[in-house]
Amino acid sequence: MTNAADEEQKQMVDRDSGFGVSSPHDCAVILSSGKKALMSGGGESGGQKPQPLWVAGVLLATAAFLVLGPLAFRSPVGEPAAVADWVTDTTPVRSPAMAPLFKTRVYTFKCSECHKVLPSPPETLRTLTQHTDIKLQHGINTRCFNCHHPKNRDAFIDDLGDEIPWDQPQLVCAKCHGPVYRDWQHGSHGRSNGYWDAEQGEQTRRKCIECHDPHHPPFQRMQPAPGPSTLRMGPQDVASDDHSHNPLMISQQSNDDRAGNGESEGGH
């Protein structure tokens, strides 16, 4: 009877556990292991042992540390340099009248209104008796009629003697400054105001006389804006740069040294 009962218990364990046993001793070991697993698992699904409380405590402490942030973040990028207001000011340097008007006291006249009554001599290589505020220092361009129309003082003149509207002074400048005018047309000379993206707004090109005085065109020197302060660029002390880490300068120096040595050998 004992052998029959043992065999039946063995078959039941085989059917429930999914693996075979070879003796009653193995069956007892399996039953004992299953009992310990149920007691230690506390009914947890999958028989996994619950994590200790100290793990949750460490996670909470880490979260509190990150939220409170007792250690201040120190950025490797230096403080931004102070930028003057004029750097971002879009107001043109000059604000000349884009119409042939002359103002004196409370009166405003068109240029032609006075010049019809007081005609100028054909040549202007003389001391001005009117417009004495104008100091003509424009290189070899010393004649008023190189730019102003001799008959219609409300217009400028081109190389063929035709009129140039007063509000198109860049066409007058193009008579002598062709390459600069070409650069101005393509945006590499002069100034643009507005938006790069035409869908967001209009972009306008400033006229030549909004930066240059037509009678004294040299542009006044301006203090350059500070350069960008970025992590990769490092200190911007160019004065102390000996070019010892500049590959282009090192290569140029090597070529110069070789050329110098060749000349020395050829001289001997």
Side-chain angles (χ1 to χ4, degrees):
M1 291 295 294
T2 302
N3 293 336
D6 291 342
E7 185 65 26
E8 183 179 357
Q9 186 176 10
K10 174 183 176 182
Q11 293 177 359
M12 291 176 63
V13 171
D14 290 344
R15 183 170 59 251
D16 294 339
S17 62
F19 56 88
V21 293
S22 57
S23 67
H25 177 266
D26 294 338
C27 178
V29 170
I30 292 173
L31 290 176
S32 175
S33 300
K35 183 177 180 181
K36 289 181 179 179
L38 290 176
M39 292 178 63
S40 61
E44 295 271 341
S45 60
Q48 296 181 355
K49 186 177 181 180
Q51 297 293 338
L53 293 178
W54 66 267
V55 176
V58 170
L59 294 177
L60 289 175
T62 304
F65 178 83
L66 295 175
V67 170
L68 297 177
L71 300 178
F73 172 72
R74 295 183 179 180
S75 174
V77 181
E79 292 295 329
V83 178
D85 293 337
W86 64 264
V87 176
T88 55
D89 185 10
T90 58
T91 306
V93 179
R94 303 181 72 249
S95 300
M98 290 297 175
L101 300 175
F102 179 75
K103 295 182 179 181
T104 172
R105 296 184 176 88
V106 295
Y107 302 103
T108 301
F109 303 96
K110 292 184 68 176
C111 298
S112 58
E113 292 178 355
C114 289
H115 283 276
K116 286 180 181 178
V117 180
L118 303 171
S120 300
E123 293 295 334
T124 55
L125 294 175
R126 59 183 178 83
T127 303
L128 296 178
T129 56
Q130 302 293 331
H131 304 296
T132 55
D133 57 312
I134 295 178
K135 306 299 181 185
L136 186 56
Q137 298 177 2
H138 198 148
I140 61 174
N141 184 13
T142 57
R143 296 181 66 252
C144 301
F145 295 138
N146 287 343
C147 298
H148 294 274
H149 200 284
K151 295 181 179 179
N152 182 9
R153 296 306 177 83
D154 297 334
F156 300 112
I157 188 171
D158 64 11
D159 289 331
L160 300 177
D162 297 327
E163 296 181 0
I164 296 176
W166 192 277
D167 60 350
Q168 298 297 320
Q170 71 276 6
L171 300 179
V172 185
C173 303
K175 293 167 56 177
C176 298
H177 305 283
V180 178
Y181 175 68
R182 176 200 60 204
D183 295 341
W184 177 85
Q185 285 181 305
H186 294 282
S188 60
H189 181 90
R191 175 174 171 175
S192 298
N193 277 5
Y195 297 85
W196 290 110
D197 187 357
E199 296 181 355
Q200 297 187 17
E202 182 185 9
Q203 180 182 127
T204 58
R205 296 286 297 148
R206 300 291 91 190
K207 304 293 179 62
C208 307
I209 61 174
E210 292 183 86
C211 290
H212 301 275
D213 184 340
H215 301 107
H216 187 199
F219 197 79
Q220 296 181 358
R221 293 185 177 182
M222 303 175 65
Q223 181 70 22
S229 175
T230 64
L231 178 61
R232 293 185 179 182
M233 294 181 67
Q236 301 301 301
D237 186 10
V238 244
S240 61
D241 187 7
D242 58 354
H243 304 294
S244 57
H245 301 288
N246 189 327
L248 296 178
M249 296 298 295
I250 294 174
S251 175
Q252 181 64 37
Q253 185 63 40
S254 301
N255 294 336
D256 294 343
D257 293 343
R258 284 196 294 268
N261 294 334
E263 292 179 358
S264 300
E265 293 175 0
H268 291 296

